[in-house]
Amino acid sequence: MPHDGRVVYGQIILLGTNGDVQPKCCNPRALSKLTLYQRKIANGVDPGPVTVVPDYKSSAAVRSASRHCISYTVGRSNTVVVEYLQNPNIDQFQLGRCAAPVIDFVLADSNPNFDDQPDDAVTPRAMDKSNGRFINFRSRIPKASREPLSSTVSRFACRINVNRNPPHEARIYAAGFDMQRNIFLGERAIKWRHEQMMDGFTTNGVRILRPQTEEGNPGNRSSQNFEIAESPWREVSVCGRIYKLYSNLFVPKECDELPEDNVLEDGTLIDLSGAILLWRSGDSLSKNLTHEELAYMVSILNQTHVQCPVLYRTLRFDNHFLDPSTKSPLHSTDVSGGSNLTCATFGNRQPFVYLNCGHVHGWHPWRHRNDPNDRSADRTCPLCRQASRFVPLTFGEEVAFYVDHGPPTHCFNPCGHIASEATVR
């Protein structure tokens, strides 16, 4: 799909960010989505010559900063080095937690090493001069010297190779090349040799879930009569082969390899052990919903003057995301006063839905089954008397999740985001 004279391969979206360009993270390069454009110069590589050396340090290809290599440590005295050669027909994109320039899509760390130490922290034991007691404080240790929290996303998690020629197929592989253009699978890494070719898994793993077909099974591009495994998720190896997903790490046998390819179909989910991504192809983006069309849908719904069936006030959908400089008061559920009359007269007009029955109302603080201040507690619907959660109806701000231009007639359970029936199902 051409865009401003450039070919768009597709887009990768990080789930859970709801359209934020840059998620709240300590890494300034972290993004919530990345559009893959055709590079000016191809940087893709393919497997080439294989050598066996006593140690990877003795390989000239590994020591060279201009050559791509994957090293498999088979034993203490044997290392298989696979050199990768330049392919002028492939563009390569890498994903991971590392902020180095070799990573195109820097993922937000799910456990950032944030600094919650106050600026006025003192020594571990300080004297309270008012009564002579000792007060315990946390030690003021520099942030860099503290033990970092463990991360669930690999620094070099995976790589995606896209064919520069139409139809621009995108293929996913586990692990990414580091700053020295190397990938190391050490002695403890899971690796094997099938058909005289080395392969392996990364520690955190790379898994994909293909979109559902009309028969309800994940798509399978290479075999139509293959019996689907129990889990629809698939494990991707360093060489891009597809394997069954098991609960524990294992060394796969040849029978565990599935007759499927590693091509990313539109709507494929990518699990990088903590960060789940959505792949949208370039063709789907050209037909996708735009923010202008989403704004039009919000405007049409607000013009219908939907009324709360109990409090009889007009409900309106929040559209503050269309103009970031304005913050709509519809999100607020804090109403001054506290009486039902005050809530009905001056309360917000955002629609809320009972998840079990689907009845839509305006916000009301009564009919809580437990704590009236607990918005997550079950309520009783005034119309059908069913008990369920009462959540606000809102439009998702990431248009890449919409699969068609249908009217917003359904919502997700339990978040309450509105979309078309095809998108929700």
Side-chain angles (χ1 to χ4, degrees), residues 335-406:
V335 182
S336 59
S339 65
N340 292 344
L341 179 61
T342 304
C343 181
T345 306
F346 301 102
N348 74 75
R349 296 185 293 169
Q350 181 177 4
F352 283 71
V353 61
Y354 284 94
L355 293 178
N356 285 355
C357 60
H359 288 134
V360 178
H361 298 265
W363 167 259
H364 49 265
W366 39 271
R367 292 198 179 277
H368 273 283
R369 300 183 66 193
N370 299 310
D371 184 7
N373 297 322
D374 186 6
R375 294 183 59 182
S376 63
D378 287 348
R379 294 166 169 262
T380 301
C381 176
L383 296 183
C384 63
R385 310 294 296 176
Q386 290 191 50
S388 70
R389 289 187 57 195
F390 190 54
V391 300
L393 286 174
T394 57
F395 278 88
E397 302 178 22
E398 179 52 72
V399 294
F401 289 109
Y402 295 86
V403 299
D404 63 355
H405 294 248

Side-chain angles (χ1 to χ4, degrees), residues 22-36:
Q22 186 171 6
K24 296 180 180 179
C25 173
C26 58
N27 195 331
R29 284 197 61 205
L31 299 173
S32 64
K33 60 182 176 181
L34 175 69
T35 302
L36 305 186

Side-chain angles (χ1 to χ4, degrees), residues 96-218:
R97 178 172 48 89
C98 181
V102 295
I103 299 298
D104 300 283
F105 190 4
V106 179
L107 298 171
D109 194 347
S110 58
N111 288 321
N113 185 18
F114 57 88
D115 186 7
D116 60 347
Q117 182 75 31
D119 293 335
D120 56 350
V122 294
T123 56
R125 292 176 62 84
M127 176 69 73
D128 182 2
K129 296 182 180 180
S130 61
N131 54 17
R133 294 184 296 108
F134 281 98
I135 303 176
N136 290 324
F137 292 87
R138 288 176 297 174
S139 176
R140 188 169 188 176
I141 304 175
K143 179 181 178 181
S145 62
R146 297 178 198 166
E147 182 179 356
L149 298 175
S150 60
S151 172
T152 57
V153 181
S154 300
R155 298 175 66 241
F156 307 95
C158 70
R159 62 194 190 277
I160 296 176
N161 289 350
V162 185
N163 195 322
R164 294 172 62 91
N165 302 317
H168 305 300
E169 283 188 340
R171 296 178 178 270
I172 186 170
Y173 302 83
F177 294 98
D178 60 15
M179 285 78 72
Q180 302 299 323
R181 302 186 179 184
N182 291 319
I183 296 176
F184 295 100
L185 274 73
E187 189 174 355
R188 297 183 179 180
I190 299 176
K191 49 194 172 299
W192 60 90
R193 184 193 299 271
H194 287 171
E195 299 178 356
Q196 303 301 318
M197 182 177 180
M198 293 296 300
D199 204 349
F201 289 147
T202 57
T203 302
N204 292 343
V206 176
R207 290 156 289 274
I208 61 173
L209 176 63
R210 302 183 189 276
Q212 299 292 316
T213 61
E214 295 181 357
E215 292 77 13
N217 293 326

Side-chain angles (χ1 to χ4, degrees), residues 31-337:
L31 299 173
S32 64
K33 60 182 176 181
L34 175 69
T35 302
L36 305 186
Y37 295 95
Q38 187 178 70
R39 298 185 184 274
K40 295 182 179 180
I41 301 176
N43 66 335
V45 291
D46 277 339
V50 180
T51 57
V52 180
V53 295
D55 185 10
Y56 72 89
K57 296 180 181 179
S58 60
S59 172
V62 174
R63 295 196 307 268
S64 175
S66 61
R67 299 160 73 177
H68 293 77
C69 294
I70 299 182
S71 302
Y72 303 87
T73 302
V74 180
R76 295 184 178 180
S77 59
N78 284 322
T79 299
V80 179
V81 178
V82 181
E83 184 178 358
Y84 278 63
L85 306 178
Q86 295 291 331
N87 188 335
N89 297 318
I90 293 179
D91 283 342
Q92 181 173 269
F93 304 89
Q94 299 202 140
L95 290 71
R97 178 172 48 89
C98 181
V102 295
I103 299 298
D104 300 283
F105 190 4
V106 179
L107 298 171
D109 194 347
S110 58
N111 288 321
N113 185 18
F114 57 88
D115 186 7
D116 60 347
Q117 182 75 31
D119 293 335
D120 56 350
V122 294
T123 56
R125 292 176 62 84
M127 176 69 73
D128 182 2
K129 296 182 180 180
S130 61
N131 54 17
R133 294 184 296 108
F134 281 98
I135 303 176
N136 290 324
F137 292 87
R138 288 176 297 174
S139 176
R140 188 169 188 176
I141 304 175
K143 179 181 178 181
S145 62
R146 297 178 198 166
E147 182 179 356
L149 298 175
S150 60
S151 172
T152 57
V153 181
S154 300
R155 298 175 66 241
F156 307 95
C158 70
R159 62 194 190 277
I160 296 176
N161 289 350
V162 185
N163 195 322
R164 294 172 62 91
N165 302 317
H168 305 300
E169 283 188 340
R171 296 178 178 270
I172 186 170
Y173 302 83
F177 294 98
D178 60 15
M179 285 78 72
Q180 302 299 323
R181 302 186 179 184
N182 291 319
I183 296 176
F184 295 100
L185 274 73
E187 189 174 355
R188 297 183 179 180
I190 299 176
K191 49 194 172 299
W192 60 90
R193 184 193 299 271
H194 287 171
E195 299 178 356
Q196 303 301 318
M197 182 177 180
M198 293 296 300
D199 204 349
F201 289 147
T202 57
T203 302
N204 292 343
V206 176
R207 290 156 289 274
I208 61 173
L209 176 63
R210 302 183 189 276
Q212 299 292 316
T213 61
E214 295 181 357
E215 292 77 13
N217 293 326
N220 185 351
R221 298 170 57 95
S222 299
S223 176
Q224 298 180 354
N225 298 324
F226 178 74
E227 183 179 356
I228 298 298
E230 181 178 353
S231 174
W233 287 90
R234 302 289 187 258
E235 189 84 27
V236 183
S237 70
V238 174
C239 293
R241 299 193 177 190
I242 306 299
Y243 292 87
K244 299 177 183 179
L245 182 63
Y246 290 87
S247 58
N248 299 323
L249 294 177
F250 70 104
V251 177
K253 302 177 182 178
E254 293 188 9
C255 60
D256 293 321
E257 183 179 352
L258 302 178
E260 301 177 11
D261 55 32
N262 59 339
V263 175
L264 293 176
E265 303 176 12
D266 180 48
T268 299
L269 294 179
I270 305 171
D271 182 7
L272 300 181
S273 184
I276 299 181
L277 310 170
L278 173 67
W279 166 259
R280 298 305 307 271
S281 64
D283 291 338
S284 65
L285 292 177
S286 63
K287 307 172 185 176
N288 205 21
L289 193 70
T290 63
H291 277 97
E292 290 75 14
E293 293 171 331
L294 182 60
Y296 180 74
M297 290 184 180
V298 176
S299 176
I300 291 298
L301 282 178
N302 288 335
Q303 291 177 19
T304 58
H305 301 290
V306 179
Q307 281 194 333
C308 173
V310 176
L311 300 178
Y312 298 106
R313 66 170 176 264
T314 302
L315 305 178
R316 292 182 59 84
F317 288 92
D318 189 1
N319 60 354
H320 76 278
F321 60 89
L322 303 177
D323 184 5
S325 62
T326 61
K327 180 63 178 178
S328 172
L330 298 182
H331 274 309
S332 174
T333 56
D334 296 330
V335 182
S336 59

